[in-house]
């Protein structure tokens, strides 16, 4: 087999392709990373070799020190991942301190990880700790409807969560803790990385005002599905208000409805976000 046939690579490619087809990745927008497990590393090991010296990442994430990550490249297009795999993604190994990486596969022509790799690393560190190592995928997409909500309304995490929860029953099932909201912060900055990681202590998905959404979960399907559910809820809310000439939607789910949904699925909603 070739490395392209490894399950972790095929699933990584699928998310890139699905996100592009959803319209979430204009130009080189968005990024994806995956923290490899022992089986992934064993399968891919024959194809790995040190290709660069250690390169500083500008943050310290000792909680993921020594780990290997599959990650999209800086300036690369999601739509081209399945066409030219090793040019558009790579595998990097972190040093023990979690503050530098070296390329061990991919990133042809001197490519490098996404400019928001710092953010991914800090999120991986937080979510891995909170999930006892189960969370492995971090995905950032330029979702138009969530971004529109953060642009059109004055929102905070509670308001945004309630808008999304009340628009469709699936939303509180996907994110019973709610959705974090970070006011506009310079993309690809250490500030963005640190503030997002702090919000990830409480939420598995964070909306970046005027930018998109980033999420972390156990599998590619879980992470993609979470963002897809939130984006659809935002679309439903926007369409419902448009159908009423901009007025608030008439039949949003009630807080009692939301509690009943959670009870039927054995979920505990964020009571701070309910009335």
């Amino acid at each position: 087999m070739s490395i392209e046939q490894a399950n972790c690579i095929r699933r990584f490619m699928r998310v890139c392709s699905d996100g592009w087809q959803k319209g979430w990745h204009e130009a080189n927008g968005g990024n994806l990373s995956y923290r490899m497990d022992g089986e992934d590393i064993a399968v891919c090991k024959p194809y790995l070799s040190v290709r660069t010296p250690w390169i500083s990442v500008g943050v310290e994430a000792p909680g993921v020190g020594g780990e290997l990550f599959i990650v999209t490249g800086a300036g690369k297009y999601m739509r081209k991942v399945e066409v030219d795999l090793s040019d558009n993604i790579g595998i990097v190994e972190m040093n023990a301190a979690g503050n530098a990486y070296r390329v061990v596969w991919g990133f042809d022509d001197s490519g490098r990880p996404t400019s928001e790799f710092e953010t991914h690393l800090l999120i991986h560190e937080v979510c891995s700790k909170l999930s006892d190592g189960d969370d492995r995928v971090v995905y950032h997409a330029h979702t138009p409807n969530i971004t529109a909500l953060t642009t059109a309304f004055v929102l905070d995490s509670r308001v945004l969560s309630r808008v999304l929860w009340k628009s469709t029953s699936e939303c509180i099932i996907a994110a019973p803790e709610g959705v974090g909201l970070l006011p506009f912060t310079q993309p690809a900055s250490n500030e963005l990385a640190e503030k997002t990681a702090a919000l990830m202590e409480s939420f598995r998905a964070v909306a970046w005002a005027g930018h998109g959404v980033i999420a972390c979960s156990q599998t590619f399907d879980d992470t993609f599905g979470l963002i897809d559910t939130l984006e659809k809820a935002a679309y439903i809310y926007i369409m419902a208000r448009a159908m009423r000439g901009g007025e608030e939607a008439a039949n949003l789910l009630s807080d009692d409805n939301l509690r009943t949904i959670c009870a039927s699925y054995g979920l505990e909603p964020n009571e701070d976000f309910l009335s």
Side-chain angles (χ1 to χ4, degrees), residues 163-204:
V163 163
L164 298 176
W165 281 351
K166 287 173 167 288
S167 297
T168 172
S169 59
E170 295 300 315
C171 196
I172 198 166
I173 297 171
E177 74 279 7
V179 180
L181 177 64
L182 182 64
F184 181 78
T185 306
Q186 178 63 34
S189 65
N190 281 6
E191 181 184 11
L192 179 69
E194 292 164 1
K195 289 185 175 180
T196 305
L199 282 171
M200 284 287 183
E201 296 274 0
S202 302
F203 307 102
R204 288 180 302 119

Side-chain angles (χ1 to χ4, degrees), residues 2-183:
S2 65
I3 194 171
E4 288 86 353
Q5 293 173 297
N7 282 336
C8 56
I9 296 291
R10 291 190 299 109
R11 291 168 181 165
F12 191 100
M13 292 169 62
R14 178 62 186 267
V15 171
C16 295
S17 177
D18 285 353
W20 158 252
Q21 292 180 36
K22 285 279 190 180
W24 297 348
H25 298 294
E26 76 294 337
N28 63 320
N31 30 74
L32 173 67
S33 66
Y34 170 69
R35 184 171 58 86
M36 300 172 74
D37 64 22
E39 182 178 348
D40 300 322
I41 295 169
V43 169
C44 295
K45 188 174 181 179
Y47 309 96
L48 307 184
S49 62
V50 176
R51 304 181 63 179
T52 67
W54 293 109
I55 300 168
S56 174
V57 293
V59 297
E60 291 194 1
V64 292
E67 300 272 15
L68 271 70
F69 292 89
I70 309 172
V71 59
T72 50
K76 302 299 183 179
Y77 286 33
M78 290 285 196
R79 68 182 179 87
K80 293 187 68 177
V81 168
E82 64 180 0
V83 176
D84 194 354
L85 185 68
S86 63
D87 182 58
N88 290 280
I89 74 171
I91 298 176
V92 300
E93 177 186 10
M94 299 302 299
N95 68 355
N99 60 12
Y101 71 88
R102 59 186 179 187
V103 177
V104 294
W105 179 84
F107 293 137
D108 296 346
D109 299 323
S110 302
R112 59 185 178 85
T114 170
S115 61
E116 288 172 336
F117 190 43
E118 294 92 336
T119 300
H120 282 245
L121 286 175
L122 293 187
I123 292 173
H124 275 292
E125 183 177 49
V126 167
C127 292
S128 177
K129 179 180 178 180
L130 292 175
S131 67
D132 292 326
D134 289 339
D135 286 352
R136 292 186 175 274
V137 180
V138 173
Y139 180 37
H140 165 49
H142 290 183
T143 45
N145 293 293
I146 292 174
T147 304
L149 284 181
T150 70
T151 302
F153 303 103
V154 178
L155 301 172
D156 58 24
S157 297
R158 185 179 189 275
V159 173
L160 176 62
S161 297
R162 288 177 61 80
V163 163
L164 298 176
W165 281 351
K166 287 173 167 288
S167 297
T168 172
S169 59
E170 295 300 315
C171 196
I172 198 166
I173 297 171
E177 74 279 7
V179 180
L181 177 64
L182 182 64

